[in-house]
Amino acid sequence: MPQSGYLHVGRKSLRDPRIAQVLDGFTPSTPSALTRESRINSNKTCSPAPVQTPSSTGPEPPYARPSPSSYKVYHHTQPFELTYSPVPLPSFDLAYETWGTLSPNKDNAILLFTGLSASSHAASTSSNPAPGWWEKFIGPGKALDTNQFFVICTNVLGGCYGSTGPSSIDPSTVGSPEGPTPYGTRFPVISIHDMVKAQFRLLDHLGIEKLYASVGSSMGAMQSLAAGWLHPERVNKLVCISGTARSSPSSIAMRYAQRSVLMADPNWNKGFYYDGSPPHTGMKLARQIATITYRSGPEWEQRFGRNLRPLPESDNPGDSVRVPALCPDFLIETYLDHQGESFCLKYDANSLIYISKAMDLFDMTLPALQSLKLRSSGSSPNGQFPSASSTLRMSPPPSYLTSLAEGLAPVRSIPTLILGVQSDFLFPVEQQREMADALKLTGNQGVVYYELGGVWGHDTFLIDVPNVGGAIRGFLT
């Protein structure tokens, strides 16, 4: 017999209706899990049907897998050198979409860099009228005004929405006895700089010698900053929103936790799962962890409080005490469950691992750049930088601020807009402040820094159209 206060979850005791009640929605045979398995096995590109519940409604913008017919593909046929691999990538594809019209002089292009899991579908197009992940920021009269600018957005190298990544066919397996197979974890480790270099190859293909601006949020802010560093002569303005110039130990830890639960899923199979069931349980858990870092406690207090999910009429306890369930019971739990469930059907697990690792590796301090033998096409000034005596930070400047300024020296002539969000848990405002401080130490006189309030946390860049959009539009015009 089980001890008082404990439930013995064994093969026989699962039949106990008391245990069935507390584990409702938790076992592998639930309709949710069966439906997910069926969807994955029948069509790996499908998305779950929307469920209108308090957990699935809210300010989140749409994230969905774009149709291959709705984006263009740039195919790079030459070997492509990578930061960490001694062997170049033999070739690569880069999926991209555009909005607006390129001017005759090709001087009005804006390269929009994505966050970790976004596709090239940042806004609706004639070939894909579905709303994009930055729908309210791109278009006539919007922050990225398509009456004025030609906007380009790609799916990054390493992604799974049309660009070359771990799920792409490994060319070395073509003609092998096993037949063409995906890279899996044979795919080389990539860096943020590799992603940006690949996108500049696309610009070369389009005949665009200089960008009017590079714009990015989250990981996109890292790419935007790297674009200005790699080719300062090819970037007129920089916009970095909720980003960092140096991944912090705390953000590395959070992404490591996501990769750990994902790679612990037996279906991950060391990255070779493409001929079987993907690691959807690990993906779901990883996304739940990520979602916690994307939003804020104050927003969830306002949105969910400590409210519980509504029970079916047949389970309503009436005047009796409601028996808590071990499955998602609080609305905040059902929200996380929904976010993880929907994401595991939309994104490739290996892409999440590789791209999140690239974010961890990002460090623009001079010693880090030198250790990787990275070179900017811009020049670095000679002599010492002034000491960090006056900064935007509320606390003493970090020990690495001067070396960060030395690393960012090639960007000293590019006007730069930096936006931080006070409720951001993943990239705290201290990181945007130090980016602005470092750029000012380089002598950059064109640094504009805004700090936004609000309760949406890191995802503010997706939601706060008046403030984020207004700051961008004012800076660009």
Side-chain angles (χ1 to χ4, degrees), residues 31 36 67 74 80 175 177 190 199 219 231 328 356 383-384 410 444 468:
R36 176 176 59 200
S67 166
Y74 162 64
F80 182 70
I190 56 174
Q199 291 172 88
M219 186 185 82
H231 298 289
S356 69
Q384 297 291 321
N444 191 323
V468 175

Side-chain angles (χ1 to χ4, degrees), residues 354-369:
Y354 274 83
I355 295 176
S356 69
K357 186 67 177 183
M359 295 176 71
D360 292 352
L361 296 169
F362 188 66
D363 185 350
M364 295 296 291
T365 59
L366 184 60
L369 295 168

Side-chain angles (χ1 to χ4, degrees), residues 250-316:
S250 61
S251 66
I252 293 171
M254 287 182 277
R255 286 187 289 268
Y256 170 74
Q258 296 170 48
R259 292 194 297 272
S260 294
V261 297
L262 171 51
M263 296 165 77
D265 187 327
N267 283 350
W268 182 63
N269 193 32
K270 298 182 179 179
F272 298 98
Y273 50 81
Y274 295 104
D275 58 351
S277 294
H280 48 65
T281 299
M283 279 288 281
K284 178 176 179 177
L285 295 175
R287 186 61 172 186
Q288 289 178 356
I289 296 171
T291 301
I292 294 170
T293 71
Y294 294 156
R295 309 310 277 255
S296 79
E299 183 210 354
W300 286 345
E301 183 66 47
Q302 295 176 18
R303 189 171 170 186
F304 304 114
R306 289 181 51 82
N307 296 317
L308 300 173
R309 64 185 172 96
L311 292 175
E313 192 64 33
S314 58
D315 294 340
N316 195 314

Side-chain angles (χ1 to χ4, degrees), residues 100-337:
T101 303
L102 188 61
S103 65
N105 294 329
K106 299 186 177 183
D107 58 358
N108 68 332
I110 290 178
L111 185 53
L112 174 61
F113 297 99
T114 72
L116 189 157
S117 58
S119 71
S120 59
H121 192 62
S124 54
T125 62
S126 57
S127 58
N128 185 356
W133 56 266
W134 234 30
E135 183 73 23
K136 295 182 179 179
F137 293 83
I138 301 171
K142 297 180 181 179
L144 302 187
D145 189 349
T146 51
N147 289 333
Q148 182 179 0
F149 301 117
F150 178 67
V151 182
I152 309 163
C153 184
T154 82
N155 178 225
V156 296
L157 186 68
C160 57
Y161 292 146
S163 294
T164 296
S167 60
S168 303
I169 295 298
D170 180 354
S172 67
T173 65
V174 177
S176 67
E178 296 79 14
T181 57
Y183 277 105
T185 46
R186 289 189 299 261
F187 194 72
V189 173
I190 56 174
S191 70
I192 297 294
H193 292 87
D194 295 333
M195 298 175 189
V196 175
K197 289 177 182 177
Q199 291 172 88
F200 269 91
R201 299 296 184 274
L202 169 62
L203 295 180
D204 295 339
H205 170 72
L206 297 175
I208 298 171
E209 293 188 5
K210 186 169 185 176
L211 292 168
Y212 183 85
S214 70
V215 177
S217 306
S218 188
M219 186 185 82
M222 297 178 175
Q223 295 176 78
S224 184
L225 185 63
W229 186 88
L230 284 166
H231 298 289
E233 78 287 355
R234 298 186 66 177
V235 181
N236 184 52
K237 291 185 177 183
L238 289 177
V239 177
C240 300
I241 307 165
S242 296
T244 184
R246 172 185 176 272
S247 281
S248 67
S250 61
S251 66
I252 293 171
M254 287 182 277
R255 286 187 289 268
Y256 170 74
Q258 296 170 48
R259 292 194 297 272
S260 294
V261 297
L262 171 51
M263 296 165 77
D265 187 327
N267 283 350
W268 182 63
N269 193 32
K270 298 182 179 179
F272 298 98
Y273 50 81
Y274 295 104
D275 58 351
S277 294
H280 48 65
T281 299
M283 279 288 281
K284 178 176 179 177
L285 295 175
R287 186 61 172 186
Q288 289 178 356
I289 296 171
T291 301
I292 294 170
T293 71
Y294 294 156
R295 309 310 277 255
S296 79
E299 183 210 354
W300 286 345
E301 183 66 47
Q302 295 176 18
R303 189 171 170 186
F304 304 114
R306 289 181 51 82
N307 296 317
L308 300 173
R309 64 185 172 96
L311 292 175
E313 192 64 33
S314 58
D315 294 340
N316 195 314
D319 295 333
S320 302
V321 174
R322 173 171 169 163
V323 178
L326 298 182
C327 72
D329 210 12
F330 288 98
L331 284 184
I332 182 60
E333 293 176 320
T334 65
Y335 168 76
L336 291 176
D337 185 71

Side-chain angles (χ1 to χ4, degrees), residues 392-394 418-423 428-433 448-454 467:
L392 292 166
R393 298 173 61 91
M394 302 302 178
I418 299 172
L419 294 183
V421 177
Q422 293 172 348
S423 58
V429 288
E430 288 292 293
Q431 295 181 23
Q432 289 89 58
R433 291 173 186 168
V448 178
Y449 176 78
Y450 295 124
E451 201 164 287
L452 305 180
N467 290 307

